[in-house]
Amino acid sequence: AWHGHFSVPAHPELWTKLKHWIHLTDETEFQNQWAEIQNISPPSFALYLKEKWMNGTELWSAVYRTNRNIFEISDTNMLIEA
């Protein structure tokens, strides 16, 4: 989804930070990286993240998913299809 909102080749540092950011498990480090991401992002992408992603961090951020396994979090039929 992020690829549709900024050019990865034009912002390789941003792309690297985003890939690292989603795997962080320390909330302070997560928030520090979020501040850095906002500083290097195109304004429209920073706004997109703020509006569409930061209100649901428990759905995608490793900070909030450390004690959950795939069977507890799955609300799709992906396990059946596998």
Side-chain angles (χ1 to χ4, degrees):
W2 293 343
H3 285 216
H5 294 275
F6 79 102
S7 170
V8 173
H11 301 281
E13 180 186 6
L14 174 59
W15 182 237
T16 299
K17 285 191 180 296
L18 288 169
K19 290 188 296 181
H20 176 71
W21 185 49
I22 63 173
H23 296 289
L24 295 174
T25 56
D26 179 79
E27 188 165 5
T28 301
E29 189 177 356
F30 178 84
Q31 292 301 331
N32 290 341
Q33 283 292 310
W34 168 230
E36 288 184 32
I37 287 167
Q38 290 178 87
N39 287 335
I40 64 171
S41 293
S44 61
F45 183 67
L47 182 62
Y48 164 74
L49 286 176
K50 187 175 184 177
E51 290 179 349
K52 303 293 183 184
W53 289 82
M54 292 308 289
N55 289 329
T57 52
E58 69 281 351
L59 298 175
W60 59 269
S61 170
V63 170
Y64 305 103
R65 300 175 74 82
T66 56
N67 296 319
R68 299 169 70 187
N69 68 42
I70 189 70
F71 301 109
E72 294 170 330
I73 61 174
S74 179
D75 61 354
T76 69
N77 65 351
M78 70 178 187
L79 297 172
I80 295 168
E81 290 178 1

